[in-house]
Amino acid sequence: MKIEAVWARSVRLSNTTLMTSYGSNAVERDHLFVAVATEDGTVGYGEGSPLPHFSGERAPEMQRVAAEVFAPALLGRDALDMEGAQQALRRALPHHGATKAALVSALFDLQGKRAGLPAHVLLGGAVATQVSVAGALGIEPIEVALQRVAELRAAGHRTVKMKVGADVDRDVRLVHAIREEHGFDVRIRADANGGYSVAQARRFAREVAEARLEYFEQPLAAHDIEGLVQLRASGLVPIAVDESLFSLQDAFDIARRGAADVFVIKLIKLGGLHVARKVVAIAEAAGIRCTAVSPYETALGVSANLHLVASSDVFAHDSELGVGVSSVAVPGVRELSFQGGRLVVPAAPGLGVEMPEGFFAPVAA
C-alpha cells in the first residue's frame, strides 16, 4: 500500500491563548493540516498546530516544508511502515517536530482506517474510553484568576493549571487564594515555562508546600537539568519537564539523572505519535508519570493525543487538551464529545475525525 499523495494547508483560526512568562496572549493562530493518501484511495488526516515561541515553527512555513521536503520523502513508501516513514522524515530534515507530527498522525489515521481499528489500538492499548482534562489560568490578576477557577469547576474540571514565572509574590498568593476559596477539592499544578531562577523556584516551592501542588512544571530553563535534579531532590514538590523534553534522547537522559517525576508529552515537540509512544515506554520503565498537552489544537489534533493517552496507564494526570484552555474549531468538523470534565476517546477507525470535503483541494504537494 504505497503513499500516492500528500496535501498540506495552513489555516488561520480564532484562538485566544494564555498569558505566560513568555509574554502576551494571541487572538488568532495558524494551524497546519495535512492529508496522506494511498493508491487505493484511503486518506488519513493530521494536524500540527505549532507554538512558534516554543519550537520555532510557524504554520505557513510548515506548509512549504511539508510540500517541498517531507512529501517527496514519503511518496512511494509503504504507508504501513511507520518506523520507515519516521526515519525518512528524520533524514529529510532535522527538527520541525510539529510538521512531522501532523504527517505521522495522518499515517496513523490512514492505517487505522485500513485496518478498521481506532489509532489507540495501533499504539498498543485501550486502557481508557474517556480522558479527564484540566483547565488553565494565564498570568492575570488574582481576582480574575479566581473567577476563572470557579468557571472551570462549574464546567466539570477538577484540575487547574496556573501559569507562573513572572512574579513569585503574586504566584504564591494565587496558590493560597485558590486553596482558601476551593480547598483541596481542586488539584493545582503550576507551570513557570522556565521563567524562574533556581532561587526563585526554591522559594516558590517552599512557600506553597502546604498547598500540595500536583506538580511544578518546568520551573527552570530547559538546559538546567542539574538544577531540576537538585530541586526535585529537595522533596518540596514533584517536578514536571516540558521545554527540557524534545526528543527520545532527552527522555532517556532526564530519566537516567532523576530530574523529573512527570513527562509533559507534546506531539509537536517529539515529531508525532510514533516517537511519543517510545518516550512513554521510557516513562513506564522509569516509573515516571505522563501528562498529554495539546492546548491550542482543533478536534483533529486533540484526537491524536486522546488515542495516545488511551494506549497507556502511565498518563496518571488530567490532560490539557483544548477544552478548559482554549476553544478552536474548523468549520464543518464535528467537535469531540465533552461531558463532566472528560473527553471521549474516538472509537471510529483511525483518529476518528474527518475533514470537510474539498478542504485540501487548492493545495497539493
Side-chain angles (χ1 to χ4, degrees):
M1 184 173 65
K2 303 298 184 183
I3 297 173
E4 186 174 73
V6 178
W7 295 273
R9 182 182 175 189
S10 172
V11 180
R12 177 161 291 185
L13 299 170
S14 296
N15 187 190
T16 301
T17 60
L18 300 174
M19 172 80 78
T20 73
S21 59
Y22 286 123
S24 62
N25 59 349
V27 296
E28 290 186 327
R29 290 175 47 79
D30 293 318
H31 300 248
L32 178 74
F33 299 92
V34 302
V36 177
T38 52
E39 51 199 350
D40 68 349
T42 306
V43 181
Y45 301 111
E47 177 182 0
S49 296
L51 298 171
H53 62 275
F54 193 90
S55 64
E57 291 179 273
R58 300 189 306 173
E61 288 88 353
M62 291 166 64
Q63 177 180 324
R64 184 173 177 180
V65 168
E68 297 181 5
V69 181
F70 291 142
L74 293 177
L75 292 174
R77 296 195 61 86
D78 183 351
L80 299 180
D81 180 10
M82 187 63 74
E83 180 66 21
Q86 191 82 58
Q87 293 304 322
L89 294 173
R90 180 187 60 80
R91 289 191 298 268
L93 196 66
H95 311 304
H96 295 275
T99 312
K100 293 174 181 176
L103 292 163
V104 169
S105 287
L107 285 171
F108 270 101
D109 189 39
L110 188 156
Q111 291 179 5
K113 289 172 178 174
R114 283 280 300 182
L117 297 170
H120 57 265
V121 175
L122 303 182
L123 288 164
V127 300
T129 58
Q130 296 183 336
V131 173
S132 296
V133 291
L137 313 173
I139 294 179
E140 51 203 359
I142 289 178
E143 59 274 15
V144 175
L146 289 175
Q147 178 59 36
R148 171 72 172 161
V149 174
E151 294 169 356
L152 290 169
R153 291 198 65 192
H157 300 282
R158 292 296 175 264
T159 300
V160 172
K161 173 176 179 170
M162 52 179 285
K163 291 291 187 176
V164 300
D167 181 342
V168 179
D169 290 332
R170 173 261 178 202
D171 298 340
V172 170
R173 287 198 304 272
L174 179 55
V175 171
H176 290 301
I178 295 173
R179 277 287 175 254
E180 182 177 345
E181 189 160 316
H182 297 278
F184 286 88
D185 291 338
V186 60
R187 292 181 289 270
I188 305 172
R189 59 183 67 155
D191 180 10
N193 291 114
Y196 283 145
S197 66
V198 172
Q200 289 171 327
R202 284 185 177 275
R203 178 190 160 198
F204 175 80
R206 183 174 60 252
E207 294 188 12
V208 301
E210 292 184 0
R212 302 205 303 270
L213 295 186
E214 184 180 31
Y215 57 73
F216 189 7
E217 181 178 334
Q218 203 62 50
L220 306 176
H223 68 271
D224 192 2
I225 304 301
E226 183 56 34
L228 293 172
V229 170
Q230 294 177 12
L231 187 60
R232 180 172 179 254
S234 72
L236 293 169
V237 63
I239 300 298
V241 289
D242 183 5
E243 284 88 340
S244 295
L245 178 58
F246 266 78
S247 69
L248 193 61
Q249 292 75 22
D250 288 341
F252 180 79
D253 186 54
I254 291 165
R256 180 181 61 83
R257 296 175 65 177
D261 300 280
V262 180
F263 282 169
V264 174
I265 306 293
K266 288 179 178 171
L267 301 183
I268 63 170
K269 295 186 305 182
L270 299 171
L273 286 165
H274 189 60
V275 174
R277 194 59 184 83
K278 295 180 180 181
V279 170
V280 168
I282 290 176
E284 290 169 340
I288 294 172
R289 303 181 300 278
C290 292
T291 302
V293 176
S294 176
Y296 304 121
E297 291 192 301
T298 71
L300 182 60
V302 169
S303 68
N305 287 270
L306 290 174
H307 287 290
L308 179 64
V309 174
S311 75
S312 172
D313 59 10
V314 79
F315 288 93
H317 301 285
D318 290 358
S319 300
E320 299 166 26
L321 301 175
V323 180
V325 182
S326 182
S327 179
V328 58
V330 176
V333 174
R334 187 177 65 182
E335 288 300 291
L336 298 166
S337 177
F338 173 76
Q339 188 173 9
R342 296 182 176 186
L343 284 166
V344 175
V345 180
L351 297 181
V353 175
E354 293 297 320
M355 300 302 289
E357 185 176 353
F359 183 82
F360 292 96
V363 184

